[in-house]
Amino acid sequence: MHAIVVGAGPTGLFCAIALARRGHRVTVVDRDPGPPPSGPWQRRGVMQFEHAHTFRAPVIDALRAEMPDAVDALTASGAQIAAGPTGHTVALLCRRSTFERALSGMAARQAGVTRVVGTVERPYRPGSRVHGVVTGGRVLTGDVVIDASGRAARYLRGLRPETEGGDCGAVYATRQYRLHPGAEPGPVNSPIGLQLSMSGYAAIAFVHDGGTFSVTFTHDGTDTRLRRLREDVVFEAAVRAIPRLSDWIEPGRSHPLTPVLPGGRLYNSYRTQLGPGGTPLLPGLISVGDAVCTTTPLAGRGVTLALMQARALLHMLDEYADLDIDIDIDIAIDTVTARFDAWCERHVRPWFDDHRYADGERVRRWGGEQVDATRRLPSDLIVAAAEADPSLRPLVEPYATMAALPDSLAPAEARARAIFAAGWRPAVPPGPTREGLAEICDAHTFGLTGAVSRSPAAV
Ligand SMILES: Cc1cc2nc3c(=O)[nH]c(=O)nc-3n(C[C@H](O)[C@H](O)[C@H](O)COP(=O)(O)OP(=O)(O)OC[C@H]3O[C@@H](n4cnc5c(N)ncnc54)[C@H](O)[C@@H]3O)c2cc1C
């Protein structure tokens, strides 16, 4: 089979290497030429390239299953495998650029993979089927097009159904830093770094590879004063106002690697690939990764969901390749498309639905509303309730590690709701409230100083 893969992000590279290792011919097309042999990589096509990423355990599982040498390459580049208290793997700690560099390098060395630099303008459809893509006026033909073009592919606009979903209520400001030689990381409260659920916003330090880390603020974007977090001086003043986070950026410990990187207009989105009759809308083209579903970055599930999809798709393609009968490849691809779409409905859509509900509830809380224990409790609060009642841990952990779907939380919900109804709330770490953070933004923008609003825990 000759597969055209549109997109050389995590999903496209993973699919390309895995398909080539099965003996298929693969052409990967991306507008970005890939990492230069040395020096910085001015990556085109992915807004979140320099933003804080952490890669959950299923990402490592996927790499180990399909390309264990990628895990070796990543650890050789300084990535760390983080373990939980019982020694189980929790995450791969590295910058997204390190992750992509490793996979890009492997794809470049992989026999059977060819990379073409160019923007795909449209699918090539000589009849009713997609038989390739058009890039730079040139037609590249193949037996199947794997669309791994990410969250906002323009080349399929108008050819697919509109995505379901909407704004996830999370606006970002991130900055990358590097520890000085020999310096220890700052304080952590989880194997991936420091995650602080503040009053009205979140503040995070994620550990990455080779002594690098990133600090991120996430808020709902409604207070325009917080947009000034994108200014380096304002950002650093805000970090310094949060006791444990502040330790990470002490001048004696670390120095910035990037300016502050803003990120906004993020969506929970989901897209089916079938028409009303249950047949592929674009026969010959299969979307995978962010091209199917995106979820709030706050939970760091994107690459996990993408590689879970990629593994399921590869498995379905394998089943046809393994059949000892002559089967028409177009029929096989259409059958795989329908099966893959059904798989996504069962295994990916539940995460999208879960995010939509939990994000809506989070935005209400960030806006100052109280937890309403008479309503369905969102997943993050059911997980949080295990802090108050450790007997809930075995019930919430499969969800928290993404080993089980969101409905696995159902047996924990009644108890969690009772905990919240009794008045328990997760402790708010010391530091400014959202109003206080906004005041800091104002003060440091206009050169003012003064007292800022703090959460009760900080007083
Ligand atoms: C701020 C932010 C933080 C995030 N943090 C995390 C995290 O901590 N953990 C996590 O797991 N996930 C995180 N995610 C999600 C994660 O980044 C995505 O899930 C991931 O990028 C999906 O990979 P992909 O290969 O499907 O798509 P992409 O990474 O978007 O790659 C798509 C590729 O297709 C190319 N392309 C698109 N259109 C064309 C075209 N017409 N022609 C040629 N090339 C094209 C692009 O150049 C790009 O290389 C985060 C997302 C954001 C926005």
Side-chain angles (χ1 to χ4, degrees):
M1 181 173 80
H2 179 198
I4 308 279
V5 176
V6 182
T11 313
L13 292 169
F14 181 86
C15 288
I17 296 166
L19 285 169
R21 289 186 178 186
R22 286 162 166 75
H24 301 296
R25 196 152 63 87
V26 185
T27 304
V28 183
V29 194
D30 201 297
R31 56 167 78 98
D32 183 86
S38 62
W41 181 6
Q42 307 296 337
R43 176 78 159 92
R44 298 178 63 200
V46 182
M47 170 282 279
Q48 70 268 33
F49 184 63
E50 305 267 24
H51 275 267
H53 274 65
T54 199
F55 302 90
R56 287 166 169 269
V59 173
I60 308 176
D61 295 342
L63 295 176
R64 283 198 174 127
E66 289 292 337
M67 47 199 80
D69 43 331
V71 181
D72 299 337
L74 281 158
T75 48
S77 304
Q80 303 165 57
I81 295 180
T86 56
H88 61 286
T89 299
V90 171
L92 180 76
L93 308 182
C94 70
R95 285 167 292 176
R96 167 159 177 153
S97 54
T98 305
F99 188 86
E100 274 200 48
R101 258 181 208 277
L103 289 195
S104 255
M106 285 179 58
R109 293 187 297 275
Q110 178 63 50
V113 176
T114 307
R115 183 165 180 148
V116 172
V117 180
T119 298
V120 172
E121 290 134 30
R122 57 191 158 85
Y124 172 60
R125 284 204 297 173
S128 59
R129 293 191 69 79
V130 173
H131 277 294
V133 295
V134 180
T135 172
R138 180 177 156 213
V139 175
L140 302 174
T141 56
D143 298 310
V144 62
V145 173
I146 307 282
D147 165 42
S149 59
R151 52 184 57 219
R154 293 208 185 88
Y155 82 104
L156 293 174
R157 204 163 273 176
L159 298 174
R160 295 188 295 183
E162 285 302 303
T163 50
E164 298 172 51
D167 199 317
C168 68
V171 171
Y172 269 63
T174 290
R175 192 169 200 192
Q176 281 183 10
Y177 296 81
R178 189 187 291 282
L179 294 169
H180 297 322
E184 289 293 319
V188 299
N189 60 5
S190 84
I192 61 173
L194 182 68
Q195 295 173 281
L196 301 176
S197 193
M198 308 298 292
S199 171
Y201 65 99
I204 297 161
F206 274 164
V207 178
H208 299 312
D209 53 288
T212 60
F213 65 93
S214 53
V215 175
T216 301
F217 283 99
T218 311
H219 54 94
D220 65 14
T222 52
D223 189 328
T224 53
R225 293 172 294 174
L226 294 181
R227 292 197 192 142
R228 297 187 188 123
L229 285 170
R230 65 181 62 182
E231 293 162 34
D232 295 352
V233 68
V234 176
F235 184 91
E236 299 237 330
V239 176
R240 290 211 174 84
I242 301 175
R244 281 182 292 167
L245 197 59
S246 162
D247 292 352
W248 282 84
I249 65 157
E250 279 170 10
R253 189 191 294 272
S254 63
H255 57 274
L257 283 180
T258 65
V260 180
L261 308 157
R265 306 295 303 159
L266 301 174
Y267 299 89
N268 290 311
S269 65
Y270 184 86
R271 196 192 314 257
T272 175
Q273 327 206 22
L274 303 183
T279 52
L281 271 169
L282 276 176
L285 180 142
I286 308 177
S287 295
V288 59
D290 268 21
V292 170
C293 177
T294 64
T295 52
T296 328
L298 208 54
R301 295 202 172 103
V303 178
T304 295
L305 287 173
L307 297 198
M308 280 178 171
Q309 289 175 50
R311 286 183 80 181
L313 177 58
L314 289 163
H315 182 65
M316 289 172 199
L317 289 168
D318 286 346
E319 285 179 350
Y320 277 91
D322 290 347
L323 285 180
D324 211 9
I325 50 169
D326 233 357
I327 185 162
D328 180 274
I329 190 151
D330 291 349
I331 294 174
I333 296 299
D334 291 353
T335 311
V336 166
T337 310
R339 285 185 60 207
F340 179 61
D341 192 78
W343 184 92
C344 289
E345 285 288 331
R346 283 196 308 277
H347 298 276
V348 179
R349 185 188 276 281
W351 291 105
F352 163 71
D353 290 337
D354 186 54
H355 270 274
R356 281 219 287 183
Y357 186 69
D359 287 344
E361 292 296 297
R362 170 181 49 78
V363 167
R364 283 194 328 108
R365 295 198 304 277
W366 277 2
E369 289 185 38
Q370 292 302 311
V371 174
D372 182 352
T374 63
R375 288 154 53 94
R376 179 184 145 202
L377 212 55
S379 316
D380 55 327
L381 295 187
I382 300 177
V383 173
E387 287 170 36
D389 179 356
S391 75
L392 288 175
R393 273 192 202 138
L395 294 176
V396 304
E397 241 160 57
Y399 166 85
T401 57
M402 291 182 79
L405 289 170
D407 63 3
S408 65
L409 289 176
E413 199 203 337
R415 173 73 189 124
R417 211 192 291 204
I419 289 169
F420 277 94
W424 179 86
R425 296 290 180 272
V428 179
T433 60
R434 182 167 78 177
E435 177 58 26
L437 195 68
E439 289 168 18
I440 290 169
C441 291
D442 264 353
H444 285 269
T445 305
F446 300 116
L448 308 171
T449 52
V452 294
S453 311
R454 287 185 176 270
S455 58
V459 180

